[in-house]
Amino acid sequence: MAVTIYLHWTATGYDWIRPGHYHSIISGDGVIHRFHSYNVDLPAHTWRRNSNSIALSCACMGGMPDPWTVPPTDAQLKSLCFEAASVAREWGWSAEQINLNRVMTHAEAASNRDGRIMHDNYGPVIWGGSGERWDLLQLAQNSTIDGGDQLRYWIREFLENPDEKQAVEERLTFQGFTVIKAKGSDLAVQIDQEGRSWARLVDLLERYEIAHVWDAESKRILIGALDVAPTFRDDALQASIGWPLIDVALQTRTAPIILRGILRPSEGGDRAWCRVVEFAEEFGISVRFDPLELGERRGG
């Protein structure tokens, strides 16, 4: 059975961003916060449909007593569709395959609109359900009840017409190389247009003797360290910087993301780079500034 993408809302405010519930959550400003690899299953996002599935959710609809006082924003819905299209593209889906069997709202899944899994209808009352879940039945208050169809339309549009030209024009740029100290030895880094230092991920991982493997199937780096506690970062890299992204995740069942890097071409092929200070913070490495210098890692 093909992977299914389920589209949700969190029934919270716009800034409710937490790992463990959904693979990605989109905040009110449209920023996509990706917490878990799309190649792993999460336990509890869509009843009886958590296996072989991906859960994307908009942080919204938490108004009390009226959820519509915190409706999905246009930026959220656009990012939701853009992310779903990116996943579909990575999995090699065509626009024709963006249908009810592969992309569903939680409202549609709760009501078993695809007929795949027979269970009690806990979906919208208008579809004969208990009304427990009605995520994205409507995209705006008092609008039509074809939210799923509208979202699939825009996902197909993004899938067929990715704005690659704009992404290249807005791509984060880099200046020349320099050298910093890391664990007492020189480390080559490069400075971006914002003045932040970047280094090759493999150089940092090897310098600090952090066990890692390249997961070619899902295009991510898996970390074997047992002493890393993943934390959400408000400044985590987003696709808006214009470079292909790569995830660094713990080698566990849920594969929580530790940090995100970018892929940059070189003579030997694409190489993963990450921000030096972010790497140090995630792996418990001491940092000194003016000039930038990385010290020892806690416990190592």
Side-chain angles (χ1 to χ4, degrees):
M1 183 183 296
V3 173
T4 305
I5 300 174
Y6 293 105
L7 308 177
H8 300 258
W9 58 44
T10 60
T12 66
Y14 291 132
D15 58 353
W16 190 88
I17 309 297
R18 304 285 189 277
H21 302 269
Y22 308 97
H23 289 84
S24 292
I25 296 177
I26 302 159
S27 50
D29 55 5
V31 174
I32 302 166
H33 304 275
R34 186 175 176 186
F35 291 113
H36 303 279
S37 169
Y38 292 148
N39 294 84
V40 300
D41 292 333
L42 295 181
H45 54 79
T46 314
W47 187 46
R48 297 188 65 182
R49 294 171 177 262
N50 297 302
S51 299
N52 202 31
S53 62
I54 295 168
L56 308 178
S57 190
C58 293
C60 61
M61 293 298 285
M64 296 294 289
D66 180 9
W68 284 111
T69 58
V70 189
T73 66
D74 289 342
Q76 281 181 308
L77 296 175
K78 179 179 179 181
S79 292
L80 179 70
C81 294
F82 187 86
E83 183 72 356
S86 297
V87 172
R89 188 178 302 109
E90 182 175 338
W91 285 87
W93 295 358
S94 66
E96 291 73 24
Q97 291 174 306
I98 305 300
N99 54 44
L100 186 65
N101 291 320
R102 294 190 184 226
V103 181
M104 301 183 73
T105 65
H106 200 174
E108 292 168 330
S111 296
N112 196 33
R113 302 287 281 186
D114 60 349
R116 186 190 308 173
I117 302 173
M118 301 309 297
H119 52 64
D120 290 342
N121 186 344
Y122 65 100
V125 173
I126 198 170
W127 289 342
S130 65
E132 182 180 350
R133 291 289 183 272
W134 54 290
D135 304 30
L136 300 167
L137 172 71
Q138 298 168 288
L139 304 187
Q141 189 172 19
N142 300 320
S143 64
T144 56
I145 59 170
D146 59 349
D149 289 336
Q150 293 184 56
L151 294 172
R152 283 185 289 270
Y153 171 83
W154 286 110
I155 293 168
R156 286 191 289 268
E157 288 292 304
F158 282 129
L159 180 60
E160 291 186 311
N161 302 292
D163 196 354
E164 297 294 342
K165 182 176 184 296
Q166 181 180 359
V168 170
E169 289 175 348
E170 297 179 354
R171 180 170 291 175
L172 182 71
T173 59
F174 290 86
Q175 304 170 15
F177 282 89
T178 187
V179 173
I180 67 169
K181 291 291 184 181
K183 207 177 179 181
S185 301
D186 289 347
L187 176 72
V189 300
Q190 204 167 6
I191 311 300
D192 69 19
Q193 65 196 46
E194 305 295 333
R196 295 168 298 201
S197 297
W198 294 66
R200 285 186 10 165
L201 258 167
V202 68
D203 292 342
L204 287 166
L205 292 168
E206 291 178 354
R207 176 68 56 91
Y208 286 93
E209 301 178 343
I210 298 170
H212 61 282
V213 295
W214 168 246
D215 182 354
E217 182 179 355
S218 56
K219 298 180 180 178
R220 60 181 176 171
I221 294 175
L222 295 175
I223 300 298
L226 300 177
D227 57 349
V228 178
T231 59
F232 168 69
R233 296 190 55 81
D234 291 319
D235 60 348
L237 294 182
Q238 300 295 328
S240 58
I241 68 172
W243 292 93
L245 301 181
I246 183 171
D247 292 330
V248 181
L250 284 183
Q251 199 169 358
T252 63
R253 186 178 67 84
T254 57
I257 292 173
I258 304 171
L259 59 85
R260 182 168 295 131
I262 61 174
L263 286 177
R264 298 176 61 196
S266 70
E267 292 184 1
D270 290 347
R271 296 290 184 267
W273 290 68
C274 71
R275 294 184 295 206
V276 172
V277 173
E278 183 176 356
F279 179 93
E281 291 174 345
E282 294 299 331
F283 286 96
I285 299 167
S286 61
V287 181
R288 294 179 61 184
F289 297 93
D290 299 325
L292 178 62
E293 180 177 344
L294 302 188
E296 296 291 331
R297 184 171 178 236
R298 289 194 300 269

